[in-house]
Amino acid sequence: MKIVSVVGARPQFVKAAVVSRALRQFRAIEDVLLHTGQHYDAEMSQVFFEELSIPTPEHDLEIGPGPHGEQTGRMLIAIERVLTEAPPDAVLVYGDTNSTLAGALAAVKLHVPVLHVEAGLRSFNRCMPEEINRVLADHASDVLFAPTDLAVTNLLREGLAEERIYKVGDVMYDAALFYGELADRRSKILSRLGLDGSAGAYVLATVHRAENTDDRDRLRTICRTLQRVSQWMPVVFPLHPRTRKALDRLGLLDTLQGVKMVDPVGYLDMMMLEKNSRLIITDSGGVQKEAFFYQIPCVTLRDETEWVELVELGWNRLAPPVSEEKQLTEIEAALNSAPVMSDRPYGDGHAAQEIASIIANRYADGPRSLSSVGAV
């Protein structure tokens, strides 16, 4: 069978890398990679393909940036054209980006089965574009690969059929294990930033979500908080292109004096920075989990998180950027915390192999021959 895997943003490249490697173990499955171009420059895209040994995409749509409706619409048109010209047996989508939604919509309208990796996540904040994307993608999908028990519960509560749902674990854990070891051997980021011998002696920060970068008050609060933290210990801050533009546009770069701002880093370098930090401050969903995988406390600069397990286990603290003092209180508490790895809610590091096996077995008799029993 032929599967078209739709990717477009950095987290999807990581997920696709481990799933595609597992799919290639099945000779009957042909995995065709389609890159929408949602992340379009070398720093945000090409370096990931190189470091993760992802094959060159068979289809590179080069959609680039734009307002949500315009970007998603252009993706939908281009993906539909690819699927029409060379119809696949299924379309595999990842996560919750505009690429996810466009891939799912294009496929379901052409009656091509949709398989969704990382299904069932909910922040319950419908102001987040990611929340809308993930809900619509789940309801358009024929097969739902859920990473956690809570994700399964969310899907069942929304009336999705049990036989469509498979709890497989989190493919990001697979990636953290595999690429974390590779980072130890290849990454030189610590020496390049003068952090040799500084394991556990710096804070790593990442900010990229529109709810933070497009709101002057929230972004200013984050900047002031990071500047205050930099007085306690070094803060390393890789700047997402959106964040850099927002800081420049809003005149906030001067508020980050003392913070070590660097250009976006590759995946292996990011792994190395995460593994050796004392604390991670982020608004990224993926980085929250990677912090947990590497047993690093995390403070999340959002009002809510999809990964509530991490908050319940004490590895993550929510610190909405509405109060500098509130954020500093949570950061100080995290720096002084000593959580233990008492539970592993994201599986055993073999989620990608489980996904590949389910696809191979479920479609063994043809793409429309669906199993009647799920794996919840």
Side-chain angles (χ1 to χ4, degrees):
M1 68 175 296
K2 181 172 79 170
I3 293 176
V4 170
S5 294
V6 178
V7 298
R10 283 167 48 138
Q12 294 169 328
F13 307 153
V14 179
K15 296 163 194 170
V18 292
V19 173
S20 293
R21 189 167 63 246
L23 288 172
R24 288 196 294 269
Q25 297 176 13
F26 293 87
R27 294 182 179 178
I29 298 177
E30 177 189 4
D31 184 32
V32 176
L33 193 63
L34 183 155
H35 181 11
T36 66
Q38 182 171 335
H39 280 173
Y40 50 95
D41 58 34
E43 290 179 318
M44 299 296 291
S45 178
Q46 186 58 39
V47 66
F48 267 53
F49 281 84
E50 294 169 356
E51 290 188 340
L52 275 60
S53 300
I54 304 174
T56 300
E58 284 84 351
H59 306 280
D60 192 343
L61 306 184
E62 299 182 340
I63 297 299
H68 286 289
E70 176 186 326
Q71 185 185 61
T72 306
R74 287 191 285 125
M75 288 179 183
L76 182 57
I77 293 169
I79 295 171
E80 182 181 61
R81 185 176 298 118
V82 171
L83 301 184
T84 301
E85 291 174 354
D89 298 305
V91 168
L92 190 60
V93 296
Y94 296 85
D96 55 19
T97 71
N98 289 342
S99 298
T100 310
L101 178 59
L105 285 176
V108 73
K109 286 181 175 292
L110 292 171
H111 309 294
V112 176
V114 180
L115 322 177
H116 187 197
V117 174
E118 211 174 68
L121 301 186
R122 298 292 183 267
S123 69
F124 302 102
N125 178 1
R126 293 178 71 85
C127 291
M128 292 177 58
E130 295 89 351
E131 181 77 353
I132 303 303
N133 290 344
R134 62 174 72 106
V135 171
L136 294 177
D138 281 341
H139 284 260
S141 295
D142 296 83
V143 179
L144 299 150
F145 295 118
T148 65
D149 288 329
L150 181 57
V152 171
T153 299
N154 290 335
L155 294 169
L156 293 174
R157 282 175 177 168
E158 293 176 12
L160 292 167
E162 182 174 334
E163 62 266 21
R164 294 160 59 187
I165 305 169
Y166 294 85
K167 179 192 168 188
V168 295
D170 196 321
V171 296
M172 292 296 287
Y173 188 31
D174 300 28
L177 294 175
F178 182 83
Y179 291 108
E181 294 182 0
L182 194 61
D184 288 338
R185 299 195 301 270
R186 294 187 181 178
S187 175
K188 307 297 182 186
I189 188 69
L190 297 183
S191 59
R192 195 160 70 245
L193 296 182
L195 296 171
D196 277 347
S198 298
Y202 64 90
V203 171
L204 175 65
T206 78
V207 177
H208 79 281
R209 288 190 179 272
E211 66 196 74
N212 289 329
T213 61
D214 295 352
D215 186 310
R216 180 185 176 85
D217 291 337
R218 290 173 72 97
L219 189 56
R220 181 171 52 224
T221 298
I222 291 170
C223 291
R224 289 177 174 174
T225 297
L226 295 181
Q227 196 278 328
R228 288 276 296 277
V229 174
S230 72
Q231 297 173 6
W232 305 346
M233 64 175 57
V235 175
V236 179
F237 189 15
L239 282 179
H240 189 285
R242 173 195 288 159
T243 309
R244 183 179 288 279
K245 290 178 182 177
L247 290 170
D248 186 52
R249 182 179 70 253
L250 299 174
L252 293 174
L253 284 171
D254 289 343
T255 64
L256 287 166
Q257 292 182 10
V259 174
K260 185 184 287 289
M261 292 179 282
V262 300
D263 290 334
V265 298
Y267 184 61
L268 298 184
D269 285 343
M270 190 63 178
M271 296 294 96
M272 203 64 176
L273 287 171
E274 290 174 354
K275 293 174 66 173
N276 288 279
S277 64
R278 169 80 178 278
L279 173 71
I280 294 175
I281 301 173
T282 187
D283 62 6
S284 163
V287 174
Q288 293 173 50
K289 287 186 298 174
E290 288 163 353
F292 173 72
F293 299 152
Y294 297 133
Q295 301 185 45
I296 305 296
C298 180
V299 172
T300 296
L301 306 174
R302 288 171 54 191
D303 300 283
E304 71 288 305
T305 177
E306 302 81 4
W307 306 105
V308 295
E309 303 89 357
L310 302 181
V311 177
E312 293 171 353
L313 291 171
W315 285 95
N316 193 5
R317 296 169 183 269
L318 292 176
V322 294
S323 164
E324 184 180 339
E325 294 308 317
K326 169 64 174 174
Q327 288 193 308
L328 290 170
T329 297
E330 295 296 340
I331 290 168
E332 188 170 8
L335 286 169
N336 294 321
S337 68
V340 296
M341 189 68 78
S342 59
D343 194 10
R344 294 187 180 275
Y346 303 115
D348 59 4
H350 296 91
Q353 186 61 50
E354 183 73 9
I355 288 169
S357 297
I358 290 169
I359 292 173
N361 293 331
R362 187 169 177 126
Y363 292 94
D365 298 323
R368 310 293 178 178
S369 178
L370 302 181
S371 162
S372 60
V373 181
V376 172

